[in-house]
């Protein structure tokens, strides 16, 4: 019996000396190396440092997804410019309507930097809009959508250097008729009068009397007026050639009864180009002429230099009323501008039309702004007036038929 017990102990020790472990109790959770893993013979090695925290996949890949949709090669670069945030003119937007966005920049500006907005669209593509501000049109489907602002530089070919960026998530809601923007109680109409000079008009829909309008022009200046219209000039001495800066204008209308109403808009300013800098394109526009079927037509010819490559995107038509109000409509450029001949490099020969309903008697002038960008992403803008009505000598009267003779 003793001999059998010694034999069992010897077999057990022999198995352990060969490196195999006896079966473990079920509650033991200590990790064991796999059979193919070598067991160190010396002291245990120090534990490796904990892994760095991983960026969530949607945030880590959003920039790469946009670059792939734009057929670009993204290169992240260190920079002194900072995107401090993005202002929006409303907390949410109805499906199919527009939201105004404006980037707030800090740090030291980068010479030659390009500002742009990019976002994914249905079908795996992406849209791009140059400049520090954006009138973003919401899709017809409600949901949450991401729009990214970038400060970039051209590295040649398809390589784009990203100096700074900031992303905003927009809440798009399905709205009823009373929630549409045209039924908002307070809006701001913006009209530029000159270099850095703007006129702001409060557009109020309500029955309560407004006691005062409190304006904040976004540059440290404020004003309080009893009238809904105010003018302001921004100091542009520190703006470089063609440098663009956006100011956020806030309005508070104080009612005689009830809480105040608030609205927001953006004023976009631009430094003057040096006198010896040639324009990016050559623009020729004929004076509008009446059409037999009604309305007016203006011929438009845009010529681009051979070394350029201009991509046009949208056309903004601003309707200026006699009372100082302004309405803005943004549409894809080929929906408004009829191209008859392509001239290469983004140049074309075509025309725009103005319908009789667009030039109703309360309209003083129409302004067209054609927006695009060159191969480096730099914004290109040309503008003209497709219609202007001469100032009436007297207020329009309603003509009535004389009474019948008796």
């Amino acid at each position: 019996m003793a001999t059998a017990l010694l034999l069992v102990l010897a077999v057990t020790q022999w198995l352990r000396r060969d490196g195999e472990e006896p079966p473990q109790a079920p509650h033991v959770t200590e990790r064991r190396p796999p059979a193919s893993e070598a067991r160190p013979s010396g002291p245990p090695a120090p534990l490796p440092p904990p892994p760095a925290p991983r960026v969530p996949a949607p945030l880590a890949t959003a920039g790469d997804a946009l670059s792939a949709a734009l057929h670009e090669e993204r290169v992240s670069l260190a920079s002194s410019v900072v995107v401090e945030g993005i202002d929006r003119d409303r907390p949410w937007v109805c499906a199919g309507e527009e939201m105004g966005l404006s980037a707030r920049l800090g740090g030291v500006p980068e010479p030659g930097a390009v500002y742009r907005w990019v976002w994914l669209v249905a079908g795996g593509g992406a849209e791009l809009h140059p400049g520090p501000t954006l009138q973003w049109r919401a899709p017809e489907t409600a949901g949450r959508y991401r729009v990214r602002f970038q400060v970039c530089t051209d590295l040649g070919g398809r390589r784009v250097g990203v100096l700074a960026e900031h992303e905003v998530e927009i809440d798009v809601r399905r709205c009823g008729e009373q929630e549409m923007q045209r039924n908002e109680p307070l809006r701001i109409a913006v009209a530029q009068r000159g270099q850095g000079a703007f006129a702001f008009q409060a557009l109020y829909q309500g029955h309560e009397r407004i006691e005062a309008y409190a304006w904040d022009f976004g540059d440290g200046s404020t004003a309080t007026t009893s009238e809904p219209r105010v003018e302001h000039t921004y100091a542009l001495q520190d703006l470089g050639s063609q440098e663009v800066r956006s100011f956020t204008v806030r309005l508070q209308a104080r009612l005689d009864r009830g809480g105040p109403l608030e609205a927001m808009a953006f004023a976009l300013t631009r430094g003057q180009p040096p006198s010896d800098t040639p324009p990016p394109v050559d623009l020729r526009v004929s004076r509008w002429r009446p059409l037999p079927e009604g309305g007016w037509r203006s011929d438009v010819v845009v010529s681009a230099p051979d070394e350029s490559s201009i991509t046009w995107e949208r056309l903004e038509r601003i309707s200026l009323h006699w009372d100082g109000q302004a309405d803005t409509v943004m549409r894809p450029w080929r929906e408004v501008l009829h191209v008859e001949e392509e001239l290469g490099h983004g140049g074309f020969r075509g025309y725009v039309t103005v319908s009789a309903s667009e030039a109703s008697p309360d309209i003083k002038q129409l302004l067209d702004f054609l927006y695009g960008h060159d191969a480096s992403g730099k914004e290109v803008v040309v503008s003209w007036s497709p219609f202007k009505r001469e100032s009436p000598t007297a207020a329009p009267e309603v003509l009535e038929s004389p009474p019948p003779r008796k």
Side-chain angles (χ1 to χ4, degrees), residues 262-403:
E262 295 182 345
M264 182 188 300
F266 305 114
L268 190 64
T269 61
R270 185 188 304 270
Q272 285 279 33
S275 57
D276 57 348
T277 300
V281 296
D282 178 63
L283 172 68
R284 287 175 291 161
V285 181
S286 68
R287 182 178 174 82
W288 55 92
R289 62 181 185 272
L291 296 171
E293 64 272 19
W296 294 264
R297 164 175 168 155
S298 298
D299 295 323
V300 180
V301 179
V302 172
S303 301
D306 292 340
E307 64 276 7
S308 66
S309 178
I310 309 298
T311 301
W312 302 110
E313 298 169 342
R314 66 200 187 283
L315 190 143
E316 180 183 29
R317 175 160 289 180
I318 300 178
S319 304
L320 302 178
H321 298 252
W322 288 106
D323 60 3
Q325 298 185 20
D327 299 325
T328 300
V329 176
M330 189 84 70
R331 295 165 61 187
W333 74 287
R334 285 187 179 269
E335 290 186 6
V336 186
L337 214 156
H338 307 276
V339 177
E340 298 176 307
E341 181 183 2
E342 300 281 358
L343 302 180
H345 308 285
F348 60 86
R349 186 190 310 277
Y351 64 92
V352 294
T353 59
V354 175
S355 65
S357 60
E358 290 180 295
S360 56
D362 63 322
I363 296 297
K364 174 183 178 181
Q365 186 179 12
L366 298 178
L367 299 174
D368 284 349
F369 291 83
L370 179 60
Y371 295 87
H373 64 275
D374 61 15
S376 67
K378 186 176 181 180
E379 184 181 40
V380 178
V381 184
V382 293
S383 63
W384 61 85
S385 175
F387 176 81
K388 184 177 181 180
R389 180 173 280 114
E390 299 299 329
S391 177
T393 56
E397 298 179 354
V398 178
L399 300 180
E400 299 179 356
S401 302

Side-chain angles (χ1 to χ4, degrees), residues 25-344:
H27 68 274
V28 177
T29 59
E30 179 185 0
R31 178 184 178 274
R32 298 294 181 179
S36 60
E37 184 176 344
R39 181 180 299 275
S41 57
L47 294 175
R54 295 177 59 86
V55 179
L59 296 180
T61 61
D64 296 330
L66 286 168
S67 297
L70 295 170
H71 306 288
E72 298 176 342
E73 180 183 346
R74 172 190 171 96
V75 180
S76 299
L77 302 175
S79 172
S80 58
V81 68
V82 178
V83 184
E84 296 178 344
I86 295 177
D87 292 330
R88 58 182 86 187
D89 62 357
R90 61 195 69 248
W92 53 271
V93 64
C94 294
E97 293 197 328
E98 291 185 347
M99 170 182 283
L101 302 173
S102 179
R104 285 184 283 108
L105 298 175
V108 180
E110 292 278 359
V114 176
Y115 305 141
R116 70 179 193 177
W117 303 81
V118 289
W119 61 96
L120 295 174
V121 296
E127 289 195 23
L128 182 149
H129 172 84
T133 63
L134 170 66
Q135 285 297 118
W136 184 76
R137 179 169 292 278
E140 297 294 338
T141 304
R144 305 191 74 86
Y145 297 84
R146 292 182 179 272
V147 178
R148 179 171 294 213
F149 174 76
Q150 295 178 326
V151 183
C152 301
T153 185
D154 182 26
L155 300 179
R158 294 184 177 181
R159 301 175 70 241
V160 175
V162 179
L163 304 172
E165 59 185 351
H166 190 89
E167 192 173 69
V168 62
E169 187 177 72
I170 300 177
D171 182 12
V172 178
R173 303 181 183 180
R174 187 178 304 278
C175 299
E177 177 64 25
Q178 293 303 315
E179 296 176 293
M180 306 297 284
Q181 293 181 20
R182 59 178 174 268
N183 295 318
E184 290 180 344
L186 184 66
R187 293 182 293 137
I188 304 176
V190 181
Q192 188 165 4
R193 301 304 187 194
Q195 186 69 13
F198 290 83
F200 303 103
Q201 177 84 23
L203 308 179
Y204 171 60
Q205 299 184 92
H207 303 290
E208 300 295 334
R209 188 176 66 87
I210 296 180
E211 294 183 335
Y213 299 87
W215 303 87
D216 183 341
F217 301 109
D219 62 347
S221 303
T222 59
T224 301
T225 64
S226 58
E227 298 296 326
R229 180 182 171 85
V230 68
E231 295 188 0
H232 182 70
T233 301
Y234 293 93
L236 306 179
Q237 293 87 344
D238 58 340
L239 279 185
S241 171
Q242 290 296 310
E243 183 181 348
V244 179
R245 180 175 299 173
S246 175
F247 295 93
T248 301
V249 181
R250 292 179 170 85
L251 168 64
Q252 185 182 83
R254 300 168 183 169
L255 307 178
D256 59 351
R257 289 187 300 177
L261 300 175
E262 295 182 345
M264 182 188 300
F266 305 114
L268 190 64
T269 61
R270 185 188 304 270
Q272 285 279 33
S275 57
D276 57 348
T277 300
V281 296
D282 178 63
L283 172 68
R284 287 175 291 161
V285 181
S286 68
R287 182 178 174 82
W288 55 92
R289 62 181 185 272
L291 296 171
E293 64 272 19
W296 294 264
R297 164 175 168 155
S298 298
D299 295 323
V300 180
V301 179
V302 172
S303 301
D306 292 340
E307 64 276 7
S308 66
S309 178
I310 309 298
T311 301
W312 302 110
E313 298 169 342
R314 66 200 187 283
L315 190 143
E316 180 183 29
R317 175 160 289 180
I318 300 178
S319 304
L320 302 178
H321 298 252
W322 288 106
D323 60 3
Q325 298 185 20
D327 299 325
T328 300
V329 176
M330 189 84 70
R331 295 165 61 187
W333 74 287
R334 285 187 179 269
E335 290 186 6
V336 186
L337 214 156
H338 307 276
V339 177
E340 298 176 307
E341 181 183 2
E342 300 281 358
L343 302 180

